[in-house]
Amino acid sequence: MLYITGFSHIRNRAMFRQGELFCRDLRGSLDNFLDSAFQALDLNYPKFYKMDASSRLGFLAAEMLLKDISLREEYKPENVAVVLANAHASLDTDIRYFESMKTMASPALFVYTLANIVAGEICIRNGIKGENAFFVCPKFDAWQMHQYVELVMASDKTQACIAGWIDVMGAQHDVFLYLAEKKKRENAPTHSLVQLQKLYQLKEYGTVNC
């Protein structure tokens, strides 16, 4: 049996952990919010500022998700998987790269013109070397996510999986990550289709600003 041992959201320039607001910044652009959220987490990771918007969103959501869990200490690198999905692939970055070509093409942007680069950034940050997959679909598909995570974790090798939805297009962004584990932590619900649908649609709460 699998359990959902944590989850996080980033929506409307606000970052949530377990449904509770951690940081919100409605000033300026999405980039301004991402910088504020990174600073609110008090992290030292210079590469963050070189990432595209999708990777920064995924990085921040993963940091919130794993705030009290160290995958490096609890699992071998090959025992953790990553399964992600979105609706726009890398289109947001593709457009930015295309615009840069009008003057001088940006190699820094070109690196991120693949949808699954965000998975790589999460893996590098957390020392993950297990199976990974990335799907592109019109909207968050709880059934597909549930089925694939169950399939991946049917292997004796895989003990944990970071899974979810990381979508961004211009100022619009929608992120939902969760951690599925074979071990049960306190108050962890089972990994079920109904539970995934409920968590994705969760009404967050809180009033803290970055």
Side-chain angles (χ1 to χ4, degrees), residues 115-128:
N116 64 344
I117 296 298
V118 58
E121 295 291 7
I122 291 172
C123 288
I124 291 169
R125 171 64 171 171
N126 296 284
I128 298 170

Side-chain angles (χ1 to χ4, degrees), residues 1-2 145-155 191-192:
M1 182 175 289
L2 305 183
M145 186 63 62
H146 174 264
Q147 292 295 305
Y148 199 82
V149 170
E150 290 280 334
L151 178 64
V152 167
M153 296 193 66
S155 165
H191 182 254
S192 67

Side-chain angles (χ1 to χ4, degrees), residues 118-187:
V118 58
E121 295 291 7
I122 291 172
C123 288
I124 291 169
R125 171 64 171 171
N126 296 284
I128 298 170
K129 297 182 180 179
E131 183 172 345
N132 67 82
F134 198 103
F135 299 96
V136 178
C137 45
K139 60 182 180 180
F140 177 70
D141 188 333
W143 183 87
Q144 180 188 54
M145 186 63 62
H146 174 264
Q147 292 295 305
Y148 199 82
V149 170
E150 290 280 334
L151 178 64
V152 167
M153 296 193 66
S155 165
D156 292 337
K157 182 178 180 180
T158 306
Q159 298 297 311
C161 179
I162 295 174
W165 179 258
I166 303 172
D167 191 51
V168 58
M169 187 63 210
Q172 301 300 313
H173 53 284
D174 181 22
V175 182
F176 163 59
L177 287 188
Y178 71 93
L179 180 65
E181 294 183 275
K182 289 179 178 175
K183 69 167 66 173
K184 183 176 183 180
R185 299 180 189 269
E186 186 177 1
N187 299 321

Side-chain angles (χ1 to χ4, degrees), residues 15-34:
M15 187 162 58
F16 303 85
R17 181 174 183 272
Q18 306 294 94
E20 183 175 1
L21 180 66
F22 175 79
C23 174
R24 174 188 285 124
D25 190 345
L26 301 177
R27 300 165 298 178
S29 65
L30 175 60
D31 287 336
N32 295 140
F33 160 69
L34 295 174

Side-chain angles (χ1 to χ4, degrees), residues 185-197:
R185 299 180 189 269
E186 186 177 1
N187 299 321
T190 58
H191 182 254
S192 67
L193 174 59
V194 171
Q195 191 65 40
L196 275 188
Q197 292 172 325

